[in-house]
Amino acid sequence: MDPIGEIVAYEQAALAAISNVTDAPALEAVRVEFAGRKHGRMRDVQALLGKADPAERPLLGKRFNEAKTSVETALEARQKELARPKSIAGGLDLTLPGTPLRLGKKHPLVQTIDELKDIMGRFGFSVAEGPEIEDEWHNFEALNIPEEHPARDPLDNFYLAAASVAAANAGVPASASSGPVLLRTQTSTVQIRVMEQQQPPIRVVSLGRVYRPDTMDASHSCMFHQMEGLMVDRSVTMAQLKTVIRMLFSSYLEHDVSIRFRPSFFPFTEPSVEVDIPWGDDWMEIGGAGMVDPHVLAAVGYNPDEFTGFAFGLGIERLCMKRHAITDIRRFYENDVRFLRQF
Ligand code: PHE
């Protein structure tokens, strides 16, 4: 065979042997056979070069060096491969970096709700729950909102059609499913449910969704969240109401917050106030509050001469917007991960 043929044959045989071995000892044997310094076949091929025609030597030398490099590179690469932990059946390579999983997070409103429950818990308020589909007794009547009151206008409420109601109320006690029902417009419904079940002293909060046929804009939504608070005992005062709300806001917003009470009217509180917090150079209404109206205490069977109470209903979105400087309430409902990821 001519010297070039020898070099090529050597190279091919070496590369084939290297790729055929399956463990490190076998590879070492191949290395000794093909590239060993003392008796390896590489030396035999190199020896041929010395016998070749001097005119051919430069070309042969170049080709020999190429073969030598490719064999040495292949040996090194195969050695690294065999040093890696074995892949398991199915070709899964355990040494490859994993695909990162992005962890989900709680929605900012859920985070806010959790935090508010926590703060109110430290003030001694426990959490009460109520249904989102309500009857007129809990949403209106017991809250001193009589039949002819404008707040009961069908245009201002989401009344439900009978068929959907039957389905929604499956499993709900019969008392709640007779008569018209609607999506609750306020969490004040839960005040009634709690007082129907328990005797004073009462300290509860209830947080959840409420529904109103409002036009959506930057600060209004037809569905939003409220936190209701109720405290009833023998001598509950308006001063306690203001203190609890101020401490709640200061704790949630993590700085001392001044609040403003504006005289207002709610059928179920007397006196009633609107609660404002500073918003830039202005004030922002964050909810309503007041002393529980004696009519309401009587409606649930309490003695209004014995007990007094305060109640408040606050917009959870607005509190969260204030803390995080969010300027549009609609961001909460769009499920845009670029927004949600920031909380
Ligand atoms: N329920 C009232 C509203 O939604 C707020 C409120 C709650 C006012 C409790 C007074 C007492 O506007």
Side-chain angles (χ1 to χ4, degrees):
M1 204 189 281
D2 66 299
I4 284 281
E6 294 282 351
I7 294 172
V8 171
Y10 159 77
E11 184 182 16
Q12 283 174 354
L15 293 179
I18 290 166
S19 73
N20 279 340
V21 298
T22 53
D23 57 27
L27 182 66
E28 178 55 15
V30 167
R31 192 192 64 74
V32 171
E33 179 183 349
F34 286 92
R37 295 212 186 283
K38 287 192 182 144
H39 326 282
R41 283 164 63 175
M42 193 189 289
R43 273 182 56 95
D44 300 342
V45 177
Q46 195 172 14
L48 290 177
L49 301 186
K51 296 176 195 151
D53 181 342
E56 285 180 40
R57 272 187 215 159
L59 197 72
L60 286 174
K62 185 165 175 281
R63 185 65 189 87
F64 172 78
N65 281 333
E66 282 168 12
K68 185 175 178 232
T69 308
S70 88
V71 169
E72 283 169 356
T73 310
L75 277 170
E76 208 176 305
R78 190 76 182 124
Q79 190 182 14
K80 278 197 189 134
E81 259 169 44
L82 293 175
R84 277 207 225 133
K86 282 238 161 27
S87 61
I88 60 169
L92 176 63
D93 184 347
L94 297 176
T95 65
L96 287 176
T99 314
L101 284 181
R102 207 189 280 280
L103 283 184
K105 281 191 191 173
K106 284 186 183 174
H107 189 281
L109 286 177
V110 176
Q111 292 184 34
T112 306
I113 287 171
D114 287 349
E115 254 183 81
L116 294 175
K117 282 181 183 169
D118 227 59
I119 295 167
M120 292 308 290
R122 293 202 293 274
F123 298 164
F125 286 71
S126 53
V127 176
E129 305 270 358
E132 290 178 23
I133 296 177
E134 264 298 6
D135 51 44
E136 292 188 298
W137 168 256
H138 291 98
N139 202 79
F140 300 126
E141 226 110 335
L143 288 165
N144 205 25
I145 307 173
E147 187 87 53
E148 68 284 359
H149 195 282
R152 294 175 68 155
D153 192 322
L155 291 177
D156 289 331
N157 295 283
F158 288 116
Y159 276 92
L160 301 183
S164 57
V165 169
N169 275 340
V172 170
S175 66
S177 53
S178 56
V181 286
L182 70 160
L183 297 178
R184 67 180 177 190
T185 54
Q186 49 188 356
T187 43
S188 299
T189 54
V190 188
Q191 288 182 36
I192 303 302
R193 289 184 174 275
V194 169
M195 289 191 284
E196 284 171 340
Q197 301 289 322
Q198 299 171 33
Q199 289 303 305
I202 285 181
R203 268 196 233 186
V204 291
V205 284
S206 188
L207 302 91
R209 295 191 187 101
V210 299
Y211 302 84
R212 295 176 190 180
D214 275 346
T215 308
M216 303 277 288
D217 64 24
S219 53
H220 295 87
S221 166
C222 53
M223 184 282 298
F224 62 98
H225 296 73
Q226 279 189 327
M227 172 165 72
E228 194 78 11
L230 174 70
M231 174 158 159
V232 184
D233 207 339
R234 286 211 155 69
S235 52
V236 174
T237 67
M238 192 99 173
Q240 291 172 334
L241 166 66
K242 196 164 191 181
T243 302
V244 166
I245 295 183
R246 203 171 64 77
M247 281 166 51
L248 165 68
F249 288 177
S250 300
S251 185
Y252 175 68
L253 297 172
E254 296 175 320
H255 61 91
D256 209 4
V257 178
S258 46
I259 58 170
R260 184 171 79 172
F261 272 9
R262 252 179 316 116
S264 186
F265 174 80
F266 297 102
F268 38 93
T269 46
E270 181 58 38
S272 303
V273 292
E274 226 114 29
V275 184
D276 299 339
I277 55 172
W279 196 273
D281 299 333
D282 206 355
W283 295 87
M284 166 81 125
E285 183 196 323
I286 215 105
M291 301 306 291
V292 181
D293 193 296
H295 286 104
V296 175
L297 296 174
V300 296
Y302 289 2
N303 178 359
D305 294 328
E306 191 181 354
F307 296 109
T308 55
F310 68 64
F312 58 81
L314 309 170
I316 294 176
E317 277 81 349
R318 289 194 179 176
L319 272 175
C320 184
M321 288 166 78
K322 168 77 179 165
R323 165 134 142 208
H324 297 289
I326 297 164
T327 51
D328 195 322
I329 197 171
R330 290 168 289 198
R331 295 286 99 82
F332 289 120
Y333 317 119
E334 291 167 343
N335 277 336
D336 184 337
V337 286
R338 292 169 303 177
F339 172 75
L340 297 175
R341 225 177 253 154
Q342 298 176 57
F343 299 92

